[in-house]
Amino acid sequence: MVAPIQVLGADGSTGPAFHLRGSDVSYVLRVTDHGHVEHVHFGAVLADLTELADLQPLLRQHPAQNEGVNSPDDPSYWLDRQTLEWSGYGRGDYRLPPIEVRRHDGGLVTDFRFQSFALRDGTVACADGLPTAIGDAENASTLILTLVDADLMLELYYTVFVEANVIAKRVVLTNTAAQAVRIPRLMSQQVDLIDRGYEVITLNGAWIAEAHPHRSPVAPGITLNSSTTGFSSNRHNPGVLLVAPDTGENHGEAYGFNLVYSGNHVTAIELTQRGLLRVQSGINPVGFEWTLHAGERFETPQAVLSFSAQGLNGLSANFHRFVEGHIVRGPWARRARPVLLNNWEATNFTFTHRKLVKMARQAKSLGVELFVLDDGWFAGRSDDHAGLGDYSVDTDKLPRGLSGLSADVRALGLDFGLWVEPESVNPDSELYRAHPDWVLRTAEREPLLGRHQLILDLTRPEVRDYVVGQVGTVLDAADVSYVKWDANRTFADIASPTCPAGEVLHRYQLGLYEVLRRIFEPRPHILLESCASGGNRFDLGMLCFSPQIWASDCTDPIERLTIQGGLSYFYPPSTMGAHVTASPSEQTLRATPLSTRFNVAAFGVLGYELDPEELSASERTEIRSQIAFYKQHRELCQFGALLRADQVQPDRVTLTRLNAAGESALVGAFQTRAIAAQPPEQLEIPRLDPAARYRVTAVPHTLEIRGFGRLINRLSPVPIRDGGVVQSVVNRHYRMPAVVQEYRGSGAALSRLRLIPQFDGTGADANTRILGDFGSTLYLIEKLDSAPAITGGGDER
Ligand code: DGJ
């Protein structure tokens, strides 16, 4: 095996150079003869360091008049023109510095120079409890560079995750001086690339509209992707992509950056007039200032970087492998996730033991495996004004407590899951009345409320102990096997008696990670799904504790295509909770077919969030077969490789899941808007074995009679008035089966499969697909031993 980290010049003959090699990615850095760490290469894999013809200073040239400064004995050495892995302030690099230091004497200048390096097998965990990616000597290797500037020591950690093609970077700063220094800025990583007209893609959003991708050219100056809400946020996910202008889903160069952190973050991209592109990521300096006392060290969160020359799908494949292999851990890593029913959208806060058990019984009959009780189970919680912070059960709703409910649910053959929101407290709660000082607040102001609640001060050990104790007791008493951990307000009044204000948010994150570790490490059987008003904290930090995250409170499948699609650039579908809910959507009022709601949720971890009692008999039958299908193909749905198709038409979305052996695939073809006078449609089924034979079948589903309006009279023996009673009765009991579609052909032929036509205003027969607005089809592709040349159509049954 080729060493994942190659070192050149370790004997001191030259400044050493380091080659971190993934299966398809190389990352090269070197120490200049002035001791700065220079970035040399991040891109296609190199067999050997010697492939880089010139490891000499890359960008040396004499500074233009008045433009820069250099060292008197080496006029061509000019920091502002170097591609650097680390930099400082006040020594001639005028780009954004990755570090700012305020020394006890007021000094601001920093200039870190290389001192030594070390190699380690596997990964090196953070000492202070920040989560980091995991790996062992088989799949990961770590380089540690030690740099020194006067009485500060800086260690740059680089871990290469070979198969995932990910380089993880973080830094540790140690104060070796006798006095404290203040650190208002300390990035996790910096890399200087040479610009090639790159464009930046960020995931922006809001509540119920998370992770909308936006792509724009990198503008000269500084572009920031930042969160200041205290969460990694639904506004700007920490994941950032840099792509060549012609990069699409399946071709072109793509760089990706993300952070293993759940709090305020920033990625800064600085494009200079001379075509250098600096990318930094780390804790957002807004509101941050850390005092590093003599002898103390500060560890940054881990930043992760990847590259692919195979377009965005190639890059996502790297990140997905990374998340599933090195971020998600414990017994739930790569383990099949249960199909759940959650009561939230069905009941909100209003339920009884009887109602819940009835829902659970019906859910069981549909094939559901896990029943989840959401918000509203504790005393005072008849709406969102009261009760958070207290863990006593509302005995009016649940006279036999959670244990009684859990026992009844389990007796049905279902697992029992529970919602908790342990980071917040309502002022109207026993906890707050007893400990008004346990919340984040300044001394001089009344704290602001968000969803009628305040944030518990997790920087305080006694608050952490309370949360760990209370939540643990509840989980054990009710035999809980799944937890939905919610957090529903953003941060304000950031202050605590435990530490200076600039440290509160980071110490809060450390406190949160400690609490999660203490609650869930001793209970590895519990599947944790984190949530923050939906996807307000969808990040690699939370994924180190919760294998899945509730992607959004928006369950409208059309909006979900954008949300799940956006998240999928960085996070695999196995991390995304995705539920089928009632139609019209409670968030958008859009009415969508049941099949489309399932087809979108099947591209994530499937759940239902509706009242089974309200379903018609025909809907029940449909859901039963949806769940049966999902269970049968669960491995493909949860862990199959995801491929997004380039969106050639704005109203079409096509997604594919492939199994590892290339023997089966699922393709979801979604029509977000019907158009008249359809052109012939071709389904692109990527990456099949060109020579092998496959069968493609549309997963059976049914169509609502109501959707045909008065047109149904062309088929019906009795007149059916649109909106009338007959239509409503028929609609509840009968659904029209969608046309049967089966196609066969070689992988090569199926890469462009011509589908039978859609209904186009006239006629409809056994060869006509009927989709309409928001219609969709799931195609199952299975490898055959042998098959005839391509045939197809709706008449093949
Ligand atoms: C916000 C979550 O995202 C919802 O799914 C639900 O759990 C509510 N909170 C409950 O208050």
Side-chain angles (χ1 to χ4, degrees):
M1 189 184 121
V2 195
I5 300 182
Q6 220 190 335
V7 185
L8 205 75
D11 57 359
S13 51
T14 61
F18 306 93
H19 178 197
L20 284 71
R21 181 176 21 206
S23 347
D24 301 312
V25 167
S26 280
Y27 194 100
V28 179
L29 46 136
R30 70 183 284 274
V31 178
T32 70
D33 42 12
H34 289 254
H36 297 109
V37 185
E38 188 172 44
H39 176 79
V40 179
H41 172 87
F42 180 22
V45 68
L46 308 168
D48 201 85
L49 259 189
T50 53
E51 267 194 52
L52 283 177
D54 189 3
L55 273 178
Q56 295 311 304
L58 293 177
L59 286 161
R60 289 187 172 204
Q61 48 187 298
H62 289 265
Q65 209 182 11
N66 293 336
E67 206 184 321
V69 293
N70 49 30
S71 84
D73 54 351
D74 186 355
S76 73
Y77 192 75
W78 181 20
L79 277 185
D80 206 38
R81 296 270 192 97
Q82 308 276 129
T83 52
L84 296 170
E85 281 286 315
W86 195 259
S87 187
Y89 172 77
R91 295 284 287 171
D93 182 355
Y94 298 105
R95 294 164 290 180
L96 208 51
I99 183 169
E100 286 179 57
V101 171
R102 310 215 186 292
R103 290 191 157 91
H104 74 281
D105 61 358
L108 300 175
V109 173
T110 46
D111 188 359
F112 288 91
R113 311 275 177 127
F114 174 79
Q115 190 183 60
S116 61
F117 76 91
L119 299 175
R120 300 266 183 278
D121 284 341
T123 55
V124 180
C126 275
D128 67 359
L130 271 175
T132 48
I134 51 171
D136 54 33
E138 294 297 299
N139 50 36
S141 197
T142 300
L143 163 72
I144 306 161
L145 302 184
T146 301
L147 279 55
V148 172
D149 176 32
D151 39 22
L152 288 175
M153 183 176 91
L154 185 80
E155 289 156 291
L156 305 182
Y157 281 74
Y158 295 83
T159 301
V160 51
F161 294 91
V162 179
E163 290 304 318
N165 292 309
V166 162
I167 312 292
K169 295 168 69 178
R170 63 189 179 90
V171 313
V172 180
L173 182 68
T174 305
N175 181 7
T176 54
Q179 293 89 1
V181 289
R182 285 181 293 133
I183 315 292
R185 177 185 186 87
L186 184 59
M187 291 291 102
S188 298
Q189 77 86 24
Q190 166 178 299
V191 60
D192 288 344
L193 304 170
I194 296 171
D195 185 40
R196 292 163 56 89
Y198 288 120
E199 297 176 349
V200 57
I201 301 177
T202 49
L203 304 180
N204 309 296
W207 177 67
I208 66 171
E210 294 86 344
H212 283 223
H214 292 107
R215 178 169 179 163
S216 54
V218 176
I222 298 173
T223 304
L224 298 182
N225 180 63
S226 111
S227 164
T228 56
T229 64
F231 286 73
S232 50
S233 94
N234 50 27
R235 296 169 185 228
H236 307 289
N237 191 277
V240 173
L241 303 167
L242 268 185
V243 294
D246 64 342
T247 294
E249 293 292 358
N250 295 309
H251 70 274
E253 288 191 358
Y255 291 95
F257 303 84
N258 208 344
L259 202 61
V260 188
Y261 196 57
S262 312
N264 286 349
H265 61 84
V266 73
T267 297
I269 302 171
E270 180 167 8
L271 174 60
T272 70
Q273 187 62 17
R274 296 196 179 263
L276 297 186
L277 197 63
R278 170 163 292 180
V279 186
Q280 292 175 351
S281 15
I283 294 177
N284 200 329
V286 173
F288 173 85
E289 186 177 80
W290 199 271
T291 302
L292 205 57
H293 295 281
E296 284 181 350
R297 61 207 296 272
F298 182 85
E299 305 195 56
T300 67
Q302 192 170 42
V304 298
L305 293 75
S306 189
F307 166 84
S308 175
Q310 264 79 52
L312 290 161
N313 278 326
L315 188 72
S316 295
N318 291 346
F319 280 132
H320 293 183
R321 265 197 300 276
F322 175 68
V323 171
E324 283 173 348
H326 302 287
I327 290 289
V328 174
R329 58 204 67 189
W332 285 98
R334 278 211 61 95
R335 173 161 155 206
R337 314 284 164 72
V339 177
L340 65 81
L341 182 110
N342 174 304
N343 72 314
W344 175 246
E345 279 204 24
T347 67
N348 282 194
F349 298 95
T350 312
F351 51 80
T352 59
H353 177 106
R354 212 162 151 256
K355 173 69 187 169
L356 296 177
V357 173
K358 197 167 181 191
M359 286 177 75
R361 183 174 301 111
Q362 290 174 339
K364 171 73 184 172
S365 78
L366 297 174
V368 163
E369 298 159 313
L370 164 70
F371 179 80
V372 180
L373 172 58
D374 209 284
D375 197 354
W377 56 264
F378 37 85
R381 196 75 175 155
S382 52
D383 56 31
D384 58 11
H385 285 70
L388 266 190
D390 300 342
Y391 294 86
S392 52
V393 176
D394 183 337
T395 44
D396 288 341
K397 291 180 194 169
L398 305 174
R400 289 172 43 224
L402 285 175
S403 55
L405 178 66
S406 159
D408 286 359
V409 168
R410 286 185 178 278
L412 294 169
L414 290 167
D415 283 338
F416 180 68
L418 191 66
W419 175 97
V420 291
E421 185 171 356
E423 296 168 65
S424 277
V425 59
N426 287 120
D428 185 2
S429 65
E430 294 308 320
L431 177 65
Y432 187 74
R433 279 184 280 275
H435 299 286
D437 55 327
W438 275 15
V439 299
L440 293 180
R441 67 192 307 163
T442 59
E444 65 280 3
R445 292 183 170 89
E446 265 307 296
L448 298 172
L449 293 173
R451 208 197 187 200
H452 320 290
Q453 63 203 50
L454 298 165
I455 297 184
L456 285 172
D457 182 355
L458 293 187
T459 71
R460 298 174 76 132
E462 64 274 32
V463 178
R464 298 199 292 273
D465 290 347
Y466 173 81
V467 171
V468 170
Q470 295 293 319
V471 174
T473 305
V474 168
L475 300 184
D476 295 341
D479 195 7
V480 169
S481 55
Y482 160 103
V483 167
K484 178 175 172 188
W485 181 289
D486 205 348
N488 281 300
R489 63 152 293 180
T490 48
F491 285 69
D493 303 293
I494 296 151
S496 164
T498 60
C499 60
E503 298 183 9
V504 170
L505 284 179
H506 184 62
R507 289 194 188 275
Y508 181 95
Q509 286 307 317
L510 296 175
L512 171 63
Y513 294 140
E514 179 200 303
V515 163
L516 290 168
R517 207 170 270 128
R518 284 170 63 193
I519 295 175
F520 294 104
E521 268 183 14
R523 299 174 179 85
H525 62 284
I526 293 182
L527 170 61
L528 178 60
E529 175 157 348
S530 75
C531 165
S533 306
N536 196 22
R537 200 160 56 183
F538 205 118
D539 58 65
L540 297 175
M542 290 311 283
L543 286 173
C544 290
F545 300 91
S546 63
Q548 56 194 60
I549 299 181
W550 179 227
S552 176
D553 275 356
C554 189
T555 50
D556 170 349
I558 302 306
E559 179 62 31
R560 272 291 182 126
L561 281 176
T562 308
I563 295 170
Q564 293 174 200
L567 289 171
S568 75
Y569 284 111
F570 299 94
Y571 312 100
S574 65
T575 62
M576 297 178 206
H579 296 178
V580 174
T581 55
S583 172
S585 154
E586 288 191 5
Q587 295 79 36
T588 62
L589 298 181
R590 182 165 23 227
T592 53
L594 180 55
S595 52
T596 295
R597 281 173 271 152
F598 168 73
N599 292 348
V600 174
F603 276 81
V605 180
L606 177 68
Y608 288 77
E609 197 168 323
L610 41 72
D611 187 348
E613 217 180 336
E614 289 171 7
L615 296 169
S616 68
S618 56
E619 285 172 325
R620 244 175 243 143
T621 309
E622 175 111 359
I623 290 181
R624 213 168 274 130
S625 60
Q626 290 176 346
I627 296 177
F629 177 86
Y630 187 86
K631 285 179 178 170
Q632 196 185 345
H633 301 283
R634 189 177 342 227
E635 174 67 22
L636 195 53
C637 292
Q638 294 185 348
F639 298 104
L642 176 80
L643 296 169
R644 295 168 301 264
D646 278 310
Q647 208 171 348
V648 261
Q649 272 179 276
D651 40 30
R652 297 283 186 282
V653 176
T654 308
L655 299 169
T656 298
R657 309 299 301 277
L658 281 172
N659 86 339
E663 279 170 351
S664 62
L666 264 184
V667 178
F670 301 92
Q671 174 161 288
T672 55
R673 188 179 61 101
I675 52 167
Q678 287 276 351
E681 280 180 89
Q682 291 180 315
L683 186 70
E684 295 185 16
I685 311 177
R687 309 235 182 128
L688 298 179
D689 174 355
R693 297 266 158 193
Y694 295 87
R695 177 177 55 225
V696 180
T697 42
V699 176
H701 68 272
T702 55
L703 307 163
E704 272 201 296
I705 296 303
R706 203 170 22 205
F708 292 90
R710 56 187 294 282
L711 268 188
I712 198 70
N713 288 308
R714 299 205 184 154
L715 297 175
S716 169
V718 291
I720 298 182
R721 194 167 60 77
D722 189 23
V725 179
V726 180
Q727 186 196 55
S728 157
V729 172
V730 174
N731 201 64
R732 281 193 75 75
H733 293 280
Y734 176 76
R735 296 166 71 91
M736 187 190 280
V739 62
V740 175
Q741 295 178 66
E742 180 173 318
Y743 311 83
R744 285 164 191 244
S746 68
L750 292 174
S751 67
R752 289 263 165 86
L753 167 63
R754 174 107 172 242
L755 297 172
I756 57 169
Q758 267 198 59
F759 175 71
D760 209 6
T762 56
D765 58 19
N767 276 317
T768 309
R769 289 178 299 131
I770 295 177
L771 291 167
D773 280 352
F774 323 126
S776 66
T777 311
L778 209 51
Y779 292 95
L780 177 66
I781 293 94
E782 294 160 298
K783 198 171 188 178
L784 299 169
D785 289 341
S786 60
I790 196 161
T791 55
D795 51 356
E796 257 196 37
R797 281 159 208 267

